[in-house]
Amino acid sequence: MRRHSPWLCLTAACLIGLVSCAEADPLPGEFIIRTYLKNTLLTTHDGDSSALDAVVTTATSIGPNERFKLTLTPPNDVMFQTAGGHYLSASGNIHPGNGDPRRALQAYTTSDLATAHFRLVNPYRQAGHTNIVMPWMGYFTIQTASPYFLTAVGGGGQSTAAFHTDALHTKEWESFWVLKCGDLGSGYAYSFRPAGTGSPHQPKERWVFTRNLGEGRTTTHFGVYPTGYRLIRQDDGSYAFEYQLTRTKVTYLTAVGGGGIAHGDNLHADATWIKAWEKFRVVDRGDCTYTIQTVNNWFLGVNMQTGEASTRISDPDAAPSIGYTARFELVMRAL
């Protein structure tokens, strides 16, 4: 039987009136937002709605004020709630000479504002080409409730007037990583990349990638483009990684032999059932990075020079000493 994502079910229920569209439940866990260019974090200072510089972009480490809860509202908007319960809000076309950039991005105690709704957009999606599937590199642009996009001034690293909202076309200053923290829920799709990669001046990201070769055959490795895997929580707390092979068929990621293979043919994505080799423990290490552990207690890792996968990492913290990374950052799909 085909499984549908919780978000699709929620959207359908909202549209036919079974639940309130305005009061949709937040997504599981929390999220952090990093600027694409400088990889600095968005930090909120909850206070009076008239406060200046409610959000800045100087932080490089994660604390409570760098974490957000996200709520999806139909048809495809998102709201960002701060640790203090405020909601981010942005009016369009704010820039020097038109409004006060120190108030371009604010935090209000209520979500009942049109300006509290944003849209996360694939920057590679070209308007007018809806029939063309464009690549997605894992990061988003953030569109305000108006046609304008959020700009991180200087690409991040600003303690005052950190944002403008006057961009109608997006470049690097308008690009952001929206990364997962904490509870992953069940039935949500994620893409996985080695932690600390992706932005300019960082190591090149290598996403877990499955390619459909046809006739039920696949190949799985670390590649340029991200694959989305729907995480299905099992009774023992582990997860199965569900891959949408075709429109009507799903398969599951397999750690060959239950893990313990350092090189070569160690990951498959062609299993049609969930057994021990298809179960992984995905654990947040407390800093919004995750480890992925196989049934035989080995960890998944990637060689940062060659991109080769290993399922024989015994200690994720020691993996860098042998040229591997065994901590991953997750991007939720379909935001």
Side-chain angles (χ1 to χ4, degrees):
M1 181 176 67
R2 186 178 180 182
R3 295 181 177 88
H4 297 285
S5 76
W7 170 233
L8 289 177
C9 295
L10 177 62
T11 301
C14 163
L15 293 176
I16 63 177
L18 296 179
V19 300
S20 169
C21 297
E23 299 178 358
D25 291 333
L27 292 171
E30 298 171 312
F31 297 78
I32 57 172
I33 307 171
R34 292 186 180 273
T35 65
Y36 171 77
L37 191 61
K38 293 187 177 178
N39 206 43
T40 56
L41 292 151
L42 271 62
T43 301
T44 60
H45 302 298
D46 289 333
D48 187 88
S49 59
S50 63
L52 303 177
D53 297 314
V55 187
V56 297
T57 59
T58 54
T60 56
S61 59
I62 301 167
N65 291 340
E66 285 72 41
R67 295 172 181 258
F68 299 86
K69 288 187 176 294
L70 268 61
T71 299
L72 297 180
T73 59
N76 52 3
D77 292 347
V78 62
M79 294 188 295
F80 298 92
Q81 187 179 25
T82 70
H86 291 61
Y87 291 86
L88 297 189
S89 172
S91 298
N93 202 26
I94 302 298
H95 59 90
N98 188 54
D100 188 344
R102 295 174 297 176
R103 291 177 173 162
L105 190 58
Q106 295 175 281
Y108 289 98
T109 56
T110 178
S111 62
D112 295 331
L113 296 169
T115 53
H117 291 254
F118 298 85
R119 186 165 296 177
L120 299 182
V121 180
N122 174 3
Y124 287 82
R125 182 177 298 156
Q126 297 182 0
H129 292 274
T130 56
N131 61 323
I132 299 176
V133 178
M134 303 301 293
W136 178 62
M137 299 305 296
Y139 51 85
F140 298 94
T141 55
I142 301 177
Q143 189 175 25
T144 68
S146 69
Y148 297 97
F149 289 86
L150 187 67
T151 297
V153 175
Q158 307 298 313
S159 60
T160 186
F163 299 96
H164 296 168
T165 58
D166 61 337
L168 290 172
H169 303 284
T170 60
K171 295 185 179 180
E172 288 182 334
W173 285 14
E174 288 76 41
S175 296
F176 300 86
W177 298 108
V178 181
L179 304 173
K180 195 72 182 71
C181 305
D183 181 23
L184 299 172
S186 183
Y188 296 93
Y190 296 91
S191 294
F192 298 76
R193 69 171 193 186
T197 64
S199 291
H201 315 299
Q202 286 189 309
K204 180 180 179 181
E205 78 268 33
R206 298 177 183 274
W207 300 90
V208 183
F209 175 76
T210 293
R211 181 183 178 187
N212 184 355
L213 301 176
E215 299 180 352
R217 297 177 300 116
T218 64
T219 178
T220 299
H221 56 277
F222 283 87
V224 175
Y225 299 117
T227 292
Y229 301 92
R230 196 171 306 282
L231 298 193
I232 309 300
R233 183 180 283 145
Q234 304 299 294
D235 291 340
D236 60 2
S238 65
Y239 285 94
F241 287 46
E242 184 182 273
Y243 172 64
Q244 194 74 43
L245 182 68
T246 68
R247 288 188 177 184
T248 59
K249 182 178 181 180
V250 297
T251 55
Y252 299 93
L253 191 68
T254 300
V256 177
I261 302 176
H263 309 283
D265 187 24
N266 49 24
L267 291 174
H268 290 176
D270 54 2
T272 56
W273 57 84
I274 301 170
K275 294 187 177 180
W277 292 4
E278 287 73 45
K279 293 182 179 182
F280 300 84
R281 293 197 175 275
V282 186
V283 178
D284 182 356
R285 304 302 292 247
D287 59 356
C288 303
T289 68
Y290 295 78
T291 53
I292 303 172
Q293 191 174 25
T294 72
V295 67
N296 288 340
N297 297 321
W298 298 100
F299 291 89
L300 176 65
V302 55
N303 186 303
M304 295 304 295
Q305 294 297 319
T306 66
E308 187 176 25
S310 172
T311 60
R312 195 179 171 81
I313 302 296
S314 59
D315 181 358
D317 295 328
S321 66
I322 57 172
Y324 283 79
T325 291
R327 289 176 178 256
F328 297 89
E329 292 170 329
L330 276 61
V331 177
M332 181 179 277
R333 311 279 294 201
L335 284 174

